[in-house]
Amino acid sequence: MKDNIILIGFMGCGKTSVGIKLSYQMRRTMVDTDKWIEKKQKMTVSDIFDTYGEEAFRRMETECLKELIQTVDRQIISVGGGLPVREENHRLLKQLGRVIYLKVTPETVYLRLKDDTSRPLLKVEDPLGRICSLMEKRGPVYEACADRIIEASELSFEEIISRIMAEV
Ligand code: S3P
């Protein structure tokens, strides 16, 4: 197993913000799988969904993990909210490092993302309903993948970072 710290969790749980701050504090490089895919495809995630569909994006996520396993160590890796859902990715995440799940409530996600237009899966009439149903399906998956679960809704990003740093 590699020595990366991997942040998983639902859209809007704070993976990217926490990951960036953590990378400064731990002097580690930060990789974000969405950004990695966008750079490689030269397209935004939204455009990838529109042009090629969700399944193609999911394949790109798996390819991304495989490449990261070959190329990165001692880094902070923030992964897209749907990446852990693909079963094949569980084994890859475990190989890549220590998996930390930032668990938040649907209401927290809704409040953080209600004006955000960059998440194709939430471009629906009832985003809160969508968040609740996706979270119900994904919650057990995130928990099964995680080495550590942090209940993050009530915590500041600084508090989340302290907890992660106390662990590693
Ligand atoms: C997705 C989460 C997004 C991005 C894509 C799909 C999901 O990443 O990968 O829009 O299925 O939950 P964030 O979790 O970083 O928002």
Side-chain angles (χ1 to χ4, degrees):
M1 184 176 109
K2 298 221 163 185
D3 186 24
N4 298 294
I5 296 173
I6 303 150
L7 301 175
I8 67 166
F10 205 80
M11 292 172 262
C13 71
K15 291 167 298 209
T16 305
S17 307
V18 167
I20 291 170
K21 286 175 196 268
L22 192 61
S23 75
Y24 285 128
Q25 290 204 19
M26 296 187 78
R27 298 201 168 79
R28 291 186 180 205
T29 309
M30 149 102 174
V31 182
D32 178 304
T33 57
D34 286 341
K35 298 274 174 316
W36 191 96
I37 291 168
E38 286 182 337
K39 194 167 168 201
K40 185 149 182 161
Q41 298 298 322
K42 301 188 179 70
M43 284 170 101
T44 63
V45 170
S46 275
D47 287 343
I48 296 170
F49 268 70
D50 286 347
T51 311
Y52 302 118
E54 178 173 353
E55 194 40 43
F57 177 72
R58 300 301 173 198
R59 282 196 294 275
M60 291 171 195
E61 289 187 313
T62 300
E63 283 316 304
C64 172
L65 285 183
K66 287 181 179 165
E67 263 199 67
L68 293 180
I69 288 169
Q70 300 303 322
T71 53
V72 309
D73 203 6
R74 295 189 55 75
Q75 300 196 2
I76 312 290
I77 302 169
S78 161
V79 311
L83 181 146
V85 175
R86 228 181 186 213
E87 200 157 339
E88 182 182 4
N89 295 346
H90 294 197
R91 180 181 51 84
L92 298 172
L93 284 169
K94 293 280 178 211
Q95 281 179 42
L96 197 53
R98 192 171 167 74
V99 179
I100 297 179
Y101 168 30
L102 303 186
K103 184 173 182 179
V104 289
T105 62
E107 291 73 22
T108 301
V109 172
Y110 177 70
L111 288 173
R112 287 187 186 161
L113 298 184
K114 65 180 165 32
D115 299 319
D116 180 290
T117 54
S118 68
R119 267 61 171 214
L121 292 178
L122 301 183
K123 286 185 196 158
V124 292
E125 244 180 54
D126 174 19
L128 180 58
R130 187 67 175 289
I131 291 166
C132 289
S133 68
L134 278 175
M135 218 180 246
E136 207 176 303
K137 278 191 224 133
R138 290 178 177 184
V141 174
Y142 294 141
E143 294 195 6
C145 280
D147 295 304
R148 168 86 156 93
I149 300 171
I150 297 179
E151 300 275 353
S153 273
E154 305 291 324
L155 300 179
S156 67
F157 289 153
E158 281 66 29
E159 286 169 323
I160 297 171
I161 289 164
S162 305
R163 290 189 190 198
I164 296 173
M165 289 187 68
E167 285 270 317
V168 292

